Amino acid sequence: MTDMQQSESDQPAPATGAGSPPPAEARRPAHSAPQAPLTARATAWLGWVLFISIIMLAAGLINIAQGMVALFDDDFYGASAAGLAVGASYTAWGIALLVLGVALVAGAYGVLTGYGWGRTIGVVAAAVNALVNLGFAAAYPGWTVLAVSFDVIAIYALVVHGGAARALRTSRR
């Protein structure tokens, strides 16, 4: 008997009976689910992207509320329209905030549902929102710091890790 034949005969024959255990590669713990394909598997950044989309949704709703206030109550803000960095009235600012608020809400919806257009709208709306808020920092400085911070974080998350949201669309086509 050669070495090759000896090593083959040392291995037990696979069991095929009803009471025999399955092969090692087929065994897995009862509590583990089968692995999804690599393209559908959610990454660790998916939670971060979903968090940012919720922040975008909240920022959009706050922008809509601020836009309504700017349209209907000019005296609410601390600075007069003449004291702003941008030579625009509060009416123009209110319209800009309403449009940006709707865009942020639409982008947040797109990201939450895994659409690629949601990322694009979210990045553009967050960038324009940061610039608009910087232009009107004298009117409401506390919100400006928060809004610009959230916008910068949203832009980073959507540009660098926004593709993770595609995992939400694997079952739909």
Side-chain angles (χ1 to χ4, degrees):
M1 193 179 264
T2 67
D3 290 330
M4 179 87 150
Q5 292 170 338
Q6 179 66 28
S7 65
E8 287 176 1
S9 66
D10 289 342
Q11 295 176 2
T16 56
S20 64
E25 64 270 0
R27 281 185 261 155
R28 73 173 166 256
H31 64 275
S32 71
Q35 288 275 343
L38 184 60
T39 57
R41 199 177 317 156
T43 66
W45 283 101
L46 179 60
W48 178 253
V49 171
L50 291 177
F51 171 72
I52 288 301
S53 64
I54 292 169
I55 293 293
M56 283 175 34
L57 178 68
L61 294 174
I62 290 171
N63 273 5
I64 290 170
Q66 278 189 318
M68 299 295 280
V69 168
L71 285 174
F72 298 119
D73 187 11
D74 288 346
D75 298 329
F76 177 79
Y77 296 103
S80 66
L84 297 175
V86 177
S89 68
Y90 278 120
T91 302
W93 188 38
I95 292 170
L97 284 174
L98 283 173
V99 169
L100 285 171
V102 170
L104 283 168
V105 168
Y109 170 77
V111 172
L112 282 169
T113 55
Y115 287 104
W117 58 262
R119 284 176 66 189
T120 305
I121 291 175
V123 168
V124 170
V128 173
N129 190 46
L131 293 174
V132 167
N133 275 295
L134 283 175
F136 293 97
Y140 214 80
W143 171 246
T144 298
V145 170
L146 285 174
V148 172
S149 300
F150 286 150
D151 289 335
V152 169
I153 293 170
I155 292 168
Y156 168 77
L158 292 176
V159 168
V160 177
H161 303 289
R166 281 193 301 256
L168 299 171
R169 298 207 40 83
T170 58
S171 63
R172 297 176 252 163
R173 285 268 170 195

